[in-house]
Amino acid sequence: MQTSASKEIKRYNHLASEIDAAYHEMSRKLGMSDSEMIILYTICCCGDCCPLKEIRRRSGISKQTINSALRKLEAGNIVYLEPSKAKNKDVCLTEKGKALARGTAQIMIGAENQVFASWPKEDVEKYLELTERFLTDFREKIDAL
């Protein structure tokens, strides 16, 4: 039995793809690859340093892609790796990295904040609530496989 996507799922997938494309376009306009931007963005959300495992968890991109982007950022003196607990590592911004983040990832974060600030608080809460509910319900379906 073949199940086709409902019109709602098609619309949802289209919107999710368009949102991804918008983030890609912003990264491109700011002169960064998507993976480099995701790393800087995640570090900015954590402070000046972020556990590598947190970057992997939040990004959803492959370990290999993250490692390649990190090597490029390290070579450009944007980030450095610092030993953390056990075998873990933190990814930290250099001074050059902090300056780059101000002109890239923090601009993206500012744009996101401006969008939500322009919406009524109830709309923001409802959007987040429904998105979280979809994620939770979808994960339950995955666990049931």
Side-chain angles (χ1 to χ4, degrees):
M1 177 176 96
Q2 184 178 6
T3 303
S4 62
S6 68
K7 71 177 186 174
E8 293 84 6
I9 287 298
K10 287 178 184 176
R11 182 176 178 204
Y12 174 83
N13 288 332
H14 171 75
L15 291 170
S17 294
E18 288 296 316
I19 290 169
D20 286 345
Y23 277 99
H24 170 74
E25 179 67 14
M26 184 172 239
S27 294
R28 188 191 64 73
K29 283 187 172 189
L30 294 170
M32 301 200 70
S33 72
D34 293 343
S35 52
E36 292 168 336
M37 179 64 85
I38 288 169
I39 290 168
L40 286 183
Y41 182 101
T42 305
I43 295 169
C44 287
C45 288
C46 291
D48 289 340
C49 286
C50 185
L52 178 56
K53 66 181 179 179
E54 186 68 11
I55 294 171
R56 288 184 179 133
R57 187 186 70 77
R58 288 186 186 195
S59 72
I61 55 180
S62 74
K63 186 175 180 179
Q64 181 179 353
T65 300
I66 289 172
N67 288 338
S68 294
L70 278 175
R71 298 302 154 244
K72 186 175 176 186
L73 291 169
E74 279 184 301
N77 194 33
I78 305 301
V79 301
Y80 63 94
L81 296 177
E82 187 171 87
S84 185
K85 300 174 191 167
K87 297 181 191 177
N88 298 318
K89 294 180 183 176
D90 288 338
V91 181
C92 303
L93 294 173
T94 63
E95 289 305 313
K96 183 178 176 183
K98 290 174 188 177
L100 179 64
R102 280 191 297 277
T104 56
Q106 289 179 2
I107 289 173
M108 183 178 283
I109 292 167
E112 293 169 325
N113 285 336
Q114 288 172 4
V115 169
F116 273 178
S118 73
W119 293 5
K121 188 155 185 72
E122 307 80 42
D123 287 356
V124 173
E125 288 303 317
K126 191 65 168 175
Y127 176 79
L128 295 174
E129 177 187 317
L130 290 172
T131 302
E132 186 173 16
R133 182 174 162 194
F134 180 88
L135 176 60
T136 300
D137 291 352
F138 190 61
R139 282 187 172 151
E140 286 177 6
K141 300 297 181 198
I142 293 168
D143 289 346
L145 292 178

